[in-house]
Amino acid sequence: MEKLEAKIGYAFTDKTLLETALTHTSYANEAKQKVPNNERLEFLGDSVLSFVVADWLFNGKARLPEGELTRKRASLVCEPALAGFARQLGLGQYMRLGKGEEMSGGRNRASILADAFEALIAAIYLDGGAKEAADFILPYVQNAADAGG
C-alpha cells in the first residue's frame, strides 16, 4: 500500500479506507469473514469527482455555455477516461479481487478500474478532505483535457 500511496502522492491516516477502496465485491463475497467492498466509496467518489471537474471547468474555461461545459465534464468523468486514469496509476495491481474475477482479467477490466478510481477519490476525500481529493483528481483531468478529452 505504501507504494500506491507514493504514486498518488497521498499518505492515508486511515489505511482501512484505502484497503476498502481497492476491495472489489467479488473479493468481499468470497471472504470467510465480512469484508467491506468499494461500492459505497465509489458512489461518493463519483460525486466528488463530478463536483471537482465541474468547478474546474466552470472557473477555468472562459465563458463556455452550459451545454459545452456538460459535454466536457462528461468526457472527463466517463468510464473510459477513469479506467485510463486508473491504468496510469497501475491501480489494477493493487486491487483485491475474487478468484473468478482474477481469472477472467478483472485487473484490467475498464468498469472495475473506473469504479476503483472513484472509490480511491472518496477514500482520499474522507481521509484528507476536499482539497486533497481535488489535488489528486486535477492532474489527471487537466492532462486529459489538454490531450483533447
Side-chain angles (χ1 to χ4, degrees), residues 4-10 12 18 48-49 52 82 85-86 89 91 116-125 129-143:
L4 179 58
E5 288 176 317
K7 279 185 175 182
I8 65 175
Y10 181 78
F12 281 83
L18 177 57
V48 172
L49 172 67
V52 168
L82 299 180
F85 301 158
L89 264 176
L91 201 54
F117 192 81
E118 288 176 332
L120 180 58
I121 290 168
I124 293 169
Y125 171 78
K131 182 183 180 329
E132 292 291 342
D135 288 349
F136 169 69
I137 295 165
L138 287 175
Y140 292 98
V141 170
Q142 291 166 337
N143 289 339

PDB file of all heavy atoms in Angstrom, residues 4-10 12 18 48-49 52 82 85-86 89 91 116-125 129-143:
ATOM      1  N   LEU A   4       1.601   2.440  -3.488  1.00  0.00           N
ATOM      2  CA  LEU A   4       0.481   3.142  -4.109  1.00  0.00           C
ATOM      3  C   LEU A   4       0.348   4.547  -3.520  1.00  0.00           C
ATOM      4  O   LEU A   4       0.127   5.508  -4.263  1.00  0.00           O
ATOM      5  CB  LEU A   4      -0.819   2.364  -3.943  1.00  0.00           C
ATOM      6  CG  LEU A   4      -2.062   3.025  -4.547  1.00  0.00           C
ATOM      7  CD1 LEU A   4      -1.883   3.290  -6.043  1.00  0.00           C
ATOM      8  CD2 LEU A   4      -3.295   2.168  -4.293  1.00  0.00           C
ATOM      9  N   GLU A   5       0.501   4.673  -2.222  1.00  0.00           N
ATOM     10  CA  GLU A   5       0.432   5.999  -1.607  1.00  0.00           C
ATOM     11  C   GLU A   5       1.495   6.926  -2.201  1.00  0.00           C
ATOM     12  O   GLU A   5       1.224   8.099  -2.454  1.00  0.00           O
ATOM     13  CB  GLU A   5       0.592   5.899  -0.090  1.00  0.00           C
ATOM     14  CG  GLU A   5      -0.612   5.304   0.609  1.00  0.00           C
ATOM     15  CD  GLU A   5      -0.396   5.129   2.099  1.00  0.00           C
ATOM     16  OE1 GLU A   5       0.699   4.681   2.501  1.00  0.00           O
ATOM     17  OE2 GLU A   5      -1.325   5.446   2.861  1.00  0.00           O
ATOM     18  N   ALA A   6       2.675   6.402  -2.445  1.00  0.00           N
ATOM     19  CA  ALA A   6       3.734   7.208  -3.058  1.00  0.00           C
ATOM     20  C   ALA A   6       3.333   7.621  -4.474  1.00  0.00           C
ATOM     21  O   ALA A   6       3.549   8.765  -4.880  1.00  0.00           O
ATOM     22  CB  ALA A   6       5.048   6.441  -3.078  1.00  0.00           C
ATOM     23  N   LYS A   7       2.720   6.707  -5.222  1.00  0.00           N
ATOM     24  CA  LYS A   7       2.283   7.017  -6.586  1.00  0.00           C
ATOM     25  C   LYS A   7       1.210   8.102  -6.623  1.00  0.00           C
ATOM     26  O   LYS A   7       1.214   8.952  -7.498  1.00  0.00           O
ATOM     27  CB  LYS A   7       1.721   5.765  -7.274  1.00  0.00           C
ATOM     28  CG  LYS A   7       2.747   4.845  -7.829  1.00  0.00           C
ATOM     29  CD  LYS A   7       2.039   3.721  -8.580  1.00  0.00           C
ATOM     30  CE  LYS A   7       3.019   2.817  -9.278  1.00  0.00           C
ATOM     31  NZ  LYS A   7       2.317   1.774 -10.041  1.00  0.00           N
ATOM     32  N   ILE A   8       0.285   8.035  -5.677  1.00  0.00           N
ATOM     33  CA  ILE A   8      -0.811   9.011  -5.688  1.00  0.00           C
ATOM     34  C   ILE A   8      -0.440  10.300  -4.961  1.00  0.00           C
ATOM     35  O   ILE A   8      -1.175  11.284  -5.048  1.00  0.00           O
ATOM     36  CB  ILE A   8      -2.124   8.426  -5.121  1.00  0.00           C
ATOM     37  CG1 ILE A   8      -2.000   8.080  -3.639  1.00  0.00           C
ATOM     38  CG2 ILE A   8      -2.584   7.229  -5.938  1.00  0.00           C
ATOM     39  CD1 ILE A   8      -3.295   7.616  -2.992  1.00  0.00           C
ATOM     40  N   GLY A   9       0.672  10.282  -4.255  1.00  0.00           N
ATOM     41  CA  GLY A   9       1.103  11.484  -3.557  1.00  0.00           C
ATOM     42  C   GLY A   9       0.275  11.805  -2.335  1.00  0.00           C
ATOM     43  O   GLY A   9       0.125  12.963  -1.957  1.00  0.00           O
ATOM     44  N   TYR A  10      -0.274  10.766  -1.726  1.00  0.00           N
ATOM     45  CA  TYR A  10      -1.088  10.974  -0.532  1.00  0.00           C
ATOM     46  C   TYR A  10      -0.893   9.794   0.412  1.00  0.00           C
ATOM     47  O   TYR A  10      -1.031   8.640  -0.001  1.00  0.00           O
ATOM     48  CB  TYR A  10      -2.582  11.106  -0.884  1.00  0.00           C
ATOM     49  CG  TYR A  10      -3.432  11.353   0.326  1.00  0.00           C
ATOM     50  CD1 TYR A  10      -3.485  12.621   0.897  1.00  0.00           C
ATOM     51  CD2 TYR A  10      -4.125  10.319   0.938  1.00  0.00           C
ATOM     52  CE1 TYR A  10      -4.220  12.839   2.048  1.00  0.00           C
ATOM     53  CE2 TYR A  10      -4.867  10.533   2.081  1.00  0.00           C
ATOM     54  CZ  TYR A  10      -4.913  11.790   2.629  1.00  0.00           C
ATOM     55  OH  TYR A  10      -5.628  12.018   3.780  1.00  0.00           O
ATOM     56  N   PHE A  12      -2.355   7.939   3.642  1.00  0.00           N
ATOM     57  CA  PHE A  12      -3.593   7.825   4.404  1.00  0.00           C
ATOM     58  C   PHE A  12      -3.326   7.763   5.901  1.00  0.00           C
ATOM     59  O   PHE A  12      -2.424   7.057   6.352  1.00  0.00           O
ATOM     60  CB  PHE A  12      -4.355   6.558   3.999  1.00  0.00           C
ATOM     61  CG  PHE A  12      -5.105   6.706   2.706  1.00  0.00           C
ATOM     62  CD1 PHE A  12      -4.456   6.534   1.496  1.00  0.00           C
ATOM     63  CD2 PHE A  12      -6.449   7.040   2.705  1.00  0.00           C
ATOM     64  CE1 PHE A  12      -5.136   6.686   0.301  1.00  0.00           C
ATOM     65  CE2 PHE A  12      -7.137   7.197   1.518  1.00  0.00           C
ATOM     66  CZ  PHE A  12      -6.477   7.021   0.312  1.00  0.00           C
ATOM     67  N   LEU A  18      -8.202   3.107   2.291  1.00  0.00           N
ATOM     68  CA  LEU A  18      -7.509   2.706   1.071  1.00  0.00           C
ATOM     69  C   LEU A  18      -7.774   1.236   0.768  1.00  0.00           C
ATOM     70  O   LEU A  18      -8.068   0.869  -0.371  1.00  0.00           O
ATOM     71  CB  LEU A  18      -6.010   2.971   1.196  1.00  0.00           C
ATOM     72  CG  LEU A  18      -5.144   2.532   0.008  1.00  0.00           C
ATOM     73  CD1 LEU A  18      -5.596   3.184  -1.293  1.00  0.00           C
ATOM     74  CD2 LEU A  18      -3.680   2.849   0.282  1.00  0.00           C
ATOM     75  N   VAL A  48     -17.864  13.432  -5.798  1.00  0.00           N
ATOM     76  CA  VAL A  48     -16.709  14.308  -5.547  1.00  0.00           C
ATOM     77  C   VAL A  48     -16.019  14.621  -6.869  1.00  0.00           C
ATOM     78  O   VAL A  48     -15.703  15.783  -7.162  1.00  0.00           O
ATOM     79  CB  VAL A  48     -15.726  13.669  -4.537  1.00  0.00           C
ATOM     80  CG1 VAL A  48     -14.442  14.482  -4.427  1.00  0.00           C
ATOM     81  CG2 VAL A  48     -16.390  13.500  -3.175  1.00  0.00           C
ATOM     82  N   LEU A  49     -15.800  13.599  -7.680  1.00  0.00           N
ATOM     83  CA  LEU A  49     -15.167  13.781  -8.987  1.00  0.00           C
ATOM     84  C   LEU A  49     -15.964  14.745  -9.855  1.00  0.00           C
ATOM     85  O   LEU A  49     -15.406  15.683 -10.438  1.00  0.00           O
ATOM     86  CB  LEU A  49     -15.037  12.425  -9.687  1.00  0.00           C
ATOM     87  CG  LEU A  49     -14.564  12.446 -11.139  1.00  0.00           C
ATOM     88  CD1 LEU A  49     -13.120  12.925 -11.231  1.00  0.00           C
ATOM     89  CD2 LEU A  49     -14.724  11.058 -11.749  1.00  0.00           C
ATOM     90  N   VAL A  52     -15.589  18.348  -8.540  1.00  0.00           N
ATOM     91  CA  VAL A  52     -14.258  18.917  -8.780  1.00  0.00           C
ATOM     92  C   VAL A  52     -14.089  19.277 -10.253  1.00  0.00           C
ATOM     93  O   VAL A  52     -13.603  20.360 -10.591  1.00  0.00           O
ATOM     94  CB  VAL A  52     -13.146  17.950  -8.300  1.00  0.00           C
ATOM     95  CG1 VAL A  52     -11.776  18.383  -8.799  1.00  0.00           C
ATOM     96  CG2 VAL A  52     -13.156  17.858  -6.777  1.00  0.00           C
ATOM     97  N   LEU A  82     -11.858   7.321 -16.793  1.00  0.00           N
ATOM     98  CA  LEU A  82     -11.477   6.905 -15.436  1.00  0.00           C
ATOM     99  C   LEU A  82     -10.642   5.627 -15.456  1.00  0.00           C
ATOM    100  O   LEU A  82      -9.680   5.505 -14.697  1.00  0.00           O
ATOM    101  CB  LEU A  82     -12.720   6.710 -14.569  1.00  0.00           C
ATOM    102  CG  LEU A  82     -13.589   7.952 -14.371  1.00  0.00           C
ATOM    103  CD1 LEU A  82     -14.778   7.620 -13.484  1.00  0.00           C
ATOM    104  CD2 LEU A  82     -12.793   9.102 -13.817  1.00  0.00           C
ATOM    105  N   PHE A  85      -7.206   6.650 -16.318  1.00  0.00           N
ATOM    106  CA  PHE A  85      -6.503   7.236 -15.175  1.00  0.00           C
ATOM    107  C   PHE A  85      -6.021   6.121 -14.244  1.00  0.00           C
ATOM    108  O   PHE A  85      -4.892   6.160 -13.739  1.00  0.00           O
ATOM    109  CB  PHE A  85      -7.408   8.183 -14.386  1.00  0.00           C
ATOM    110  CG  PHE A  85      -7.978   9.341 -15.168  1.00  0.00           C
ATOM    111  CD1 PHE A  85      -9.132   9.979 -14.727  1.00  0.00           C
ATOM    112  CD2 PHE A  85      -7.394   9.800 -16.347  1.00  0.00           C
ATOM    113  CE1 PHE A  85      -9.676  11.049 -15.422  1.00  0.00           C
ATOM    114  CE2 PHE A  85      -7.937  10.866 -17.053  1.00  0.00           C
ATOM    115  CZ  PHE A  85      -9.079  11.493 -16.586  1.00  0.00           C
ATOM    116  N   ALA A  86      -6.879   5.131 -14.005  1.00  0.00           N
ATOM    117  CA  ALA A  86      -6.523   4.013 -13.133  1.00  0.00           C
ATOM    118  C   ALA A  86      -5.349   3.227 -13.718  1.00  0.00           C
ATOM    119  O   ALA A  86      -4.458   2.795 -12.984  1.00  0.00           O
ATOM    120  CB  ALA A  86      -7.734   3.107 -12.919  1.00  0.00           C
ATOM    121  N   LEU A  89      -2.047   4.817 -13.119  1.00  0.00           N
ATOM    122  CA  LEU A  89      -1.601   4.561 -11.744  1.00  0.00           C
ATOM    123  C   LEU A  89      -1.166   3.112 -11.522  1.00  0.00           C
ATOM    124  O   LEU A  89      -0.532   2.818 -10.520  1.00  0.00           O
ATOM    125  CB  LEU A  89      -2.761   4.807 -10.780  1.00  0.00           C
ATOM    126  CG  LEU A  89      -2.885   6.136 -10.096  1.00  0.00           C
ATOM    127  CD1 LEU A  89      -4.149   6.182  -9.262  1.00  0.00           C
ATOM    128  CD2 LEU A  89      -1.688   6.451  -9.263  1.00  0.00           C
ATOM    129  N   LEU A  91      -3.434   0.882 -10.983  1.00  0.00           N
ATOM    130  CA  LEU A  91      -4.342   0.581  -9.880  1.00  0.00           C
ATOM    131  C   LEU A  91      -4.774  -0.891  -9.857  1.00  0.00           C
ATOM    132  O   LEU A  91      -4.963  -1.459  -8.784  1.00  0.00           O
ATOM    133  CB  LEU A  91      -5.570   1.493  -9.968  1.00  0.00           C
ATOM    134  CG  LEU A  91      -6.386   1.716  -8.718  1.00  0.00           C
ATOM    135  CD1 LEU A  91      -5.533   2.215  -7.568  1.00  0.00           C
ATOM    136  CD2 LEU A  91      -7.512   2.708  -8.998  1.00  0.00           C
ATOM    137  N   ALA A 116     -12.868   1.592  -9.106  1.00  0.00           N
ATOM    138  CA  ALA A 116     -11.808   1.688  -8.092  1.00  0.00           C
ATOM    139  C   ALA A 116     -11.227   3.101  -8.043  1.00  0.00           C
ATOM    140  O   ALA A 116     -10.897   3.603  -6.962  1.00  0.00           O
ATOM    141  CB  ALA A 116     -10.710   0.665  -8.371  1.00  0.00           C
ATOM    142  N   PHE A 117     -11.107   3.740  -9.197  1.00  0.00           N
ATOM    143  CA  PHE A 117     -10.595   5.109  -9.222  1.00  0.00           C
ATOM    144  C   PHE A 117     -11.548   6.032  -8.458  1.00  0.00           C
ATOM    145  O   PHE A 117     -11.111   6.860  -7.663  1.00  0.00           O
ATOM    146  CB  PHE A 117     -10.390   5.584 -10.663  1.00  0.00           C
ATOM    147  CG  PHE A 117      -9.607   6.851 -10.772  1.00  0.00           C
ATOM    148  CD1 PHE A 117      -8.223   6.847 -10.692  1.00  0.00           C
ATOM    149  CD2 PHE A 117     -10.245   8.066 -10.952  1.00  0.00           C
ATOM    150  CE1 PHE A 117      -7.489   8.023 -10.779  1.00  0.00           C
ATOM    151  CE2 PHE A 117      -9.524   9.251 -11.045  1.00  0.00           C
ATOM    152  CZ  PHE A 117      -8.142   9.225 -10.958  1.00  0.00           C
ATOM    153  N   GLU A 118     -12.852   5.879  -8.695  1.00  0.00           N
ATOM    154  CA  GLU A 118     -13.835   6.685  -7.964  1.00  0.00           C
ATOM    155  C   GLU A 118     -13.782   6.377  -6.466  1.00  0.00           C
ATOM    156  O   GLU A 118     -13.875   7.299  -5.642  1.00  0.00           O
ATOM    157  CB  GLU A 118     -15.242   6.421  -8.498  1.00  0.00           C
ATOM    158  CG  GLU A 118     -15.482   7.018  -9.861  1.00  0.00           C
ATOM    159  CD  GLU A 118     -16.841   6.664 -10.431  1.00  0.00           C
ATOM    160  OE1 GLU A 118     -17.404   5.602 -10.105  1.00  0.00           O
ATOM    161  OE2 GLU A 118     -17.344   7.470 -11.235  1.00  0.00           O
ATOM    162  N   ALA A 119     -13.644   5.110  -6.115  1.00  0.00           N
ATOM    163  CA  ALA A 119     -13.560   4.740  -4.700  1.00  0.00           C
ATOM    164  C   ALA A 119     -12.311   5.335  -4.054  1.00  0.00           C
ATOM    165  O   ALA A 119     -12.352   5.785  -2.899  1.00  0.00           O
ATOM    166  CB  ALA A 119     -13.569   3.217  -4.557  1.00  0.00           C
ATOM    167  N   LEU A 120     -11.220   5.361  -4.797  1.00  0.00           N
ATOM    168  CA  LEU A 120      -9.981   5.956  -4.287  1.00  0.00           C
ATOM    169  C   LEU A 120     -10.169   7.451  -4.040  1.00  0.00           C
ATOM    170  O   LEU A 120      -9.706   7.988  -3.023  1.00  0.00           O
ATOM    171  CB  LEU A 120      -8.839   5.708  -5.276  1.00  0.00           C
ATOM    172  CG  LEU A 120      -7.472   6.265  -4.904  1.00  0.00           C
ATOM    173  CD1 LEU A 120      -6.986   5.724  -3.563  1.00  0.00           C
ATOM    174  CD2 LEU A 120      -6.464   5.924  -6.007  1.00  0.00           C
ATOM    175  N   ILE A 121     -10.863   8.117  -4.928  1.00  0.00           N
ATOM    176  CA  ILE A 121     -11.171   9.538  -4.731  1.00  0.00           C
ATOM    177  C   ILE A 121     -11.935   9.735  -3.424  1.00  0.00           C
ATOM    178  O   ILE A 121     -11.604  10.620  -2.623  1.00  0.00           O
ATOM    179  CB  ILE A 121     -11.987  10.095  -5.918  1.00  0.00           C
ATOM    180  CG1 ILE A 121     -11.113  10.192  -7.164  1.00  0.00           C
ATOM    181  CG2 ILE A 121     -12.613  11.450  -5.574  1.00  0.00           C
ATOM    182  CD1 ILE A 121     -11.887  10.450  -8.447  1.00  0.00           C
ATOM    183  N   ALA A 122     -12.950   8.915  -3.204  1.00  0.00           N
ATOM    184  CA  ALA A 122     -13.747   9.037  -1.975  1.00  0.00           C
ATOM    185  C   ALA A 122     -12.896   8.759  -0.739  1.00  0.00           C
ATOM    186  O   ALA A 122     -13.031   9.454   0.277  1.00  0.00           O
ATOM    187  CB  ALA A 122     -14.932   8.081  -2.016  1.00  0.00           C
ATOM    188  N   ALA A 123     -12.023   7.769  -0.818  1.00  0.00           N
ATOM    189  CA  ALA A 123     -11.162   7.447   0.319  1.00  0.00           C
ATOM    190  C   ALA A 123     -10.258   8.629   0.662  1.00  0.00           C
ATOM    191  O   ALA A 123     -10.093   8.980   1.842  1.00  0.00           O
ATOM    192  CB  ALA A 123     -10.334   6.199   0.009  1.00  0.00           C
ATOM    193  N   ILE A 124      -9.704   9.258  -0.360  1.00  0.00           N
ATOM    194  CA  ILE A 124      -8.861  10.440  -0.126  1.00  0.00           C
ATOM    195  C   ILE A 124      -9.703  11.568   0.461  1.00  0.00           C
ATOM    196  O   ILE A 124      -9.300  12.232   1.423  1.00  0.00           O
ATOM    197  CB  ILE A 124      -8.163  10.882  -1.430  1.00  0.00           C
ATOM    198  CG1 ILE A 124      -7.150   9.824  -1.873  1.00  0.00           C
ATOM    199  CG2 ILE A 124      -7.483  12.250  -1.249  1.00  0.00           C
ATOM    200  CD1 ILE A 124      -6.594  10.041  -3.278  1.00  0.00           C
ATOM    201  N   TYR A 125     -10.892  11.771  -0.093  1.00  0.00           N
ATOM    202  CA  TYR A 125     -11.795  12.811   0.396  1.00  0.00           C
ATOM    203  C   TYR A 125     -12.137  12.595   1.873  1.00  0.00           C
ATOM    204  O   TYR A 125     -12.066  13.527   2.689  1.00  0.00           O
ATOM    205  CB  TYR A 125     -13.064  12.825  -0.461  1.00  0.00           C
ATOM    206  CG  TYR A 125     -14.151  13.712   0.067  1.00  0.00           C
ATOM    207  CD1 TYR A 125     -14.095  15.097  -0.113  1.00  0.00           C
ATOM    208  CD2 TYR A 125     -15.232  13.184   0.757  1.00  0.00           C
ATOM    209  CE1 TYR A 125     -15.095  15.921   0.377  1.00  0.00           C
ATOM    210  CE2 TYR A 125     -16.241  13.994   1.247  1.00  0.00           C
ATOM    211  CZ  TYR A 125     -16.163  15.355   1.066  1.00  0.00           C
ATOM    212  OH  TYR A 125     -17.154  16.168   1.551  1.00  0.00           O
ATOM    213  N   GLY A 129      -9.964  15.302   3.080  1.00  0.00           N
ATOM    214  CA  GLY A 129     -10.785  16.454   2.759  1.00  0.00           C
ATOM    215  C   GLY A 129     -10.845  16.773   1.274  1.00  0.00           C
ATOM    216  O   GLY A 129     -10.199  16.129   0.440  1.00  0.00           O
ATOM    217  N   ALA A 130     -11.626  17.792   0.977  1.00  0.00           N
ATOM    218  CA  ALA A 130     -11.902  18.167  -0.412  1.00  0.00           C
ATOM    219  C   ALA A 130     -10.654  18.641  -1.153  1.00  0.00           C
ATOM    220  O   ALA A 130     -10.477  18.323  -2.333  1.00  0.00           O
ATOM    221  CB  ALA A 130     -12.982  19.249  -0.451  1.00  0.00           C
ATOM    222  N   LYS A 131      -9.797  19.400  -0.498  1.00  0.00           N
ATOM    223  CA  LYS A 131      -8.601  19.904  -1.184  1.00  0.00           C
ATOM    224  C   LYS A 131      -7.678  18.763  -1.592  1.00  0.00           C
ATOM    225  O   LYS A 131      -7.166  18.750  -2.709  1.00  0.00           O
ATOM    226  CB  LYS A 131      -7.843  20.903  -0.307  1.00  0.00           C
ATOM    227  CG  LYS A 131      -6.622  21.472  -1.040  1.00  0.00           C
ATOM    228  CD  LYS A 131      -5.820  22.411  -0.184  1.00  0.00           C
ATOM    229  CE  LYS A 131      -4.612  22.989  -0.874  1.00  0.00           C
ATOM    230  NZ  LYS A 131      -3.942  22.199  -1.868  1.00  0.00           N
ATOM    231  N   GLU A 132      -7.481  17.810  -0.711  1.00  0.00           N
ATOM    232  CA  GLU A 132      -6.630  16.660  -1.042  1.00  0.00           C
ATOM    233  C   GLU A 132      -7.223  15.868  -2.201  1.00  0.00           C
ATOM    234  O   GLU A 132      -6.499  15.426  -3.101  1.00  0.00           O
ATOM    235  CB  GLU A 132      -6.438  15.744   0.175  1.00  0.00           C
ATOM    236  CG  GLU A 132      -5.617  16.352   1.279  1.00  0.00           C
ATOM    237  CD  GLU A 132      -4.153  16.537   0.922  1.00  0.00           C
ATOM    238  OE1 GLU A 132      -3.660  15.917  -0.035  1.00  0.00           O
ATOM    239  OE2 GLU A 132      -3.485  17.323   1.616  1.00  0.00           O
ATOM    240  N   ALA A 133      -8.539  15.687  -2.194  1.00  0.00           N
ATOM    241  CA  ALA A 133      -9.193  14.964  -3.286  1.00  0.00           C
ATOM    242  C   ALA A 133      -9.026  15.713  -4.605  1.00  0.00           C
ATOM    243  O   ALA A 133      -8.685  15.120  -5.632  1.00  0.00           O
ATOM    244  CB  ALA A 133     -10.674  14.744  -2.970  1.00  0.00           C
ATOM    245  N   ALA A 134      -9.231  17.015  -4.580  1.00  0.00           N
ATOM    246  CA  ALA A 134      -9.072  17.820  -5.793  1.00  0.00           C
ATOM    247  C   ALA A 134      -7.626  17.806  -6.277  1.00  0.00           C
ATOM    248  O   ALA A 134      -7.371  17.699  -7.482  1.00  0.00           O
ATOM    249  CB  ALA A 134      -9.535  19.257  -5.543  1.00  0.00           C
ATOM    250  N   ASP A 135      -6.692  17.883  -5.344  1.00  0.00           N
ATOM    251  CA  ASP A 135      -5.270  17.832  -5.719  1.00  0.00           C
ATOM    252  C   ASP A 135      -4.913  16.510  -6.390  1.00  0.00           C
ATOM    253  O   ASP A 135      -4.035  16.457  -7.249  1.00  0.00           O
ATOM    254  CB  ASP A 135      -4.370  18.037  -4.490  1.00  0.00           C
ATOM    255  CG  ASP A 135      -4.389  19.475  -3.980  1.00  0.00           C
ATOM    256  OD1 ASP A 135      -4.920  20.367  -4.678  1.00  0.00           O
ATOM    257  OD2 ASP A 135      -3.880  19.699  -2.865  1.00  0.00           O
ATOM    258  N   PHE A 136      -5.580  15.438  -5.993  1.00  0.00           N
ATOM    259  CA  PHE A 136      -5.363  14.140  -6.625  1.00  0.00           C
ATOM    260  C   PHE A 136      -6.005  14.081  -8.008  1.00  0.00           C
ATOM    261  O   PHE A 136      -5.403  13.613  -8.972  1.00  0.00           O
ATOM    262  CB  PHE A 136      -5.922  13.021  -5.732  1.00  0.00           C
ATOM    263  CG  PHE A 136      -5.973  11.689  -6.414  1.00  0.00           C
ATOM    264  CD1 PHE A 136      -4.806  10.996  -6.729  1.00  0.00           C
ATOM    265  CD2 PHE A 136      -7.182  11.120  -6.765  1.00  0.00           C
ATOM    266  CE1 PHE A 136      -4.848   9.761  -7.375  1.00  0.00           C
ATOM    267  CE2 PHE A 136      -7.238   9.890  -7.405  1.00  0.00           C
ATOM    268  CZ  PHE A 136      -6.062   9.216  -7.711  1.00  0.00           C
ATOM    269  N   ILE A 137      -7.228  14.566  -8.126  1.00  0.00           N
ATOM    270  CA  ILE A 137      -8.018  14.457  -9.357  1.00  0.00           C
ATOM    271  C   ILE A 137      -7.495  15.358 -10.476  1.00  0.00           C
ATOM    272  O   ILE A 137      -7.393  14.934 -11.640  1.00  0.00           O
ATOM    273  CB  ILE A 137      -9.498  14.834  -9.072  1.00  0.00           C
ATOM    274  CG1 ILE A 137     -10.137  13.836  -8.120  1.00  0.00           C
ATOM    275  CG2 ILE A 137     -10.298  14.950 -10.368  1.00  0.00           C
ATOM    276  CD1 ILE A 137     -11.446  14.330  -7.508  1.00  0.00           C
ATOM    277  N   LEU A 138      -7.216  16.601 -10.176  1.00  0.00           N
ATOM    278  CA  LEU A 138      -6.987  17.611 -11.213  1.00  0.00           C
ATOM    279  C   LEU A 138      -5.837  17.332 -12.180  1.00  0.00           C
ATOM    280  O   LEU A 138      -5.992  17.597 -13.376  1.00  0.00           O
ATOM    281  CB  LEU A 138      -6.865  19.000 -10.589  1.00  0.00           C
ATOM    282  CG  LEU A 138      -8.204  19.560 -10.107  1.00  0.00           C
ATOM    283  CD1 LEU A 138      -8.008  20.885  -9.385  1.00  0.00           C
ATOM    284  CD2 LEU A 138      -9.199  19.713 -11.253  1.00  0.00           C
ATOM    285  N   PRO A 139      -4.723  16.790 -11.765  1.00  0.00           N
ATOM    286  CA  PRO A 139      -3.682  16.497 -12.763  1.00  0.00           C
ATOM    287  C   PRO A 139      -4.166  15.531 -13.858  1.00  0.00           C
ATOM    288  O   PRO A 139      -3.837  15.703 -15.031  1.00  0.00           O
ATOM    289  CB  PRO A 139      -2.538  15.893 -11.943  1.00  0.00           C
ATOM    290  CG  PRO A 139      -2.725  16.456 -10.581  1.00  0.00           C
ATOM    291  CD  PRO A 139      -4.219  16.569 -10.396  1.00  0.00           C
ATOM    292  N   TYR A 140      -4.941  14.537 -13.487  1.00  0.00           N
ATOM    293  CA  TYR A 140      -5.480  13.596 -14.470  1.00  0.00           C
ATOM    294  C   TYR A 140      -6.427  14.302 -15.435  1.00  0.00           C
ATOM    295  O   TYR A 140      -6.348  14.145 -16.643  1.00  0.00           O
ATOM    296  CB  TYR A 140      -6.221  12.431 -13.785  1.00  0.00           C
ATOM    297  CG  TYR A 140      -5.278  11.540 -13.033  1.00  0.00           C
ATOM    298  CD1 TYR A 140      -5.105  11.673 -11.666  1.00  0.00           C
ATOM    299  CD2 TYR A 140      -4.548  10.565 -13.684  1.00  0.00           C
ATOM    300  CE1 TYR A 140      -4.227  10.868 -10.965  1.00  0.00           C
ATOM    301  CE2 TYR A 140      -3.663   9.742 -13.002  1.00  0.00           C
ATOM    302  CZ  TYR A 140      -3.504   9.904 -11.647  1.00  0.00           C
ATOM    303  OH  TYR A 140      -2.630   9.107 -10.956  1.00  0.00           O
ATOM    304  N   VAL A 141      -7.318  15.087 -14.862  1.00  0.00           N
ATOM    305  CA  VAL A 141      -8.325  15.796 -15.645  1.00  0.00           C
ATOM    306  C   VAL A 141      -7.667  16.811 -16.574  1.00  0.00           C
ATOM    307  O   VAL A 141      -8.001  16.910 -17.760  1.00  0.00           O
ATOM    308  CB  VAL A 141      -9.341  16.470 -14.711  1.00  0.00           C
ATOM    309  CG1 VAL A 141     -10.261  17.419 -15.451  1.00  0.00           C
ATOM    310  CG2 VAL A 141     -10.146  15.403 -13.963  1.00  0.00           C
ATOM    311  N   GLN A 142      -6.728  17.569 -16.052  1.00  0.00           N
ATOM    312  CA  GLN A 142      -6.050  18.585 -16.858  1.00  0.00           C
ATOM    313  C   GLN A 142      -5.270  17.954 -18.007  1.00  0.00           C
ATOM    314  O   GLN A 142      -5.326  18.430 -19.149  1.00  0.00           O
ATOM    315  CB  GLN A 142      -5.128  19.423 -15.981  1.00  0.00           C
ATOM    316  CG  GLN A 142      -5.898  20.313 -15.021  1.00  0.00           C
ATOM    317  CD  GLN A 142      -5.035  20.908 -13.911  1.00  0.00           C
ATOM    318  OE1 GLN A 142      -3.985  20.392 -13.575  1.00  0.00           O
ATOM    319  NE2 GLN A 142      -5.551  21.974 -13.297  1.00  0.00           N
ATOM    320  N   ASN A 143      -4.574  16.854 -17.734  1.00  0.00           N
ATOM    321  CA  ASN A 143      -3.840  16.170 -18.804  1.00  0.00           C
ATOM    322  C   ASN A 143      -4.786  15.627 -19.863  1.00  0.00           C
ATOM    323  O   ASN A 143      -4.495  15.721 -21.063  1.00  0.00           O
ATOM    324  CB  ASN A 143      -2.970  15.055 -18.231  1.00  0.00           C
ATOM    325  CG  ASN A 143      -1.793  15.575 -17.455  1.00  0.00           C
ATOM    326  OD1 ASN A 143      -1.364  16.704 -17.624  1.00  0.00           O
ATOM    327  ND2 ASN A 143      -1.259  14.740 -16.574  1.00  0.00           N
TER     328      ASN A 143
END
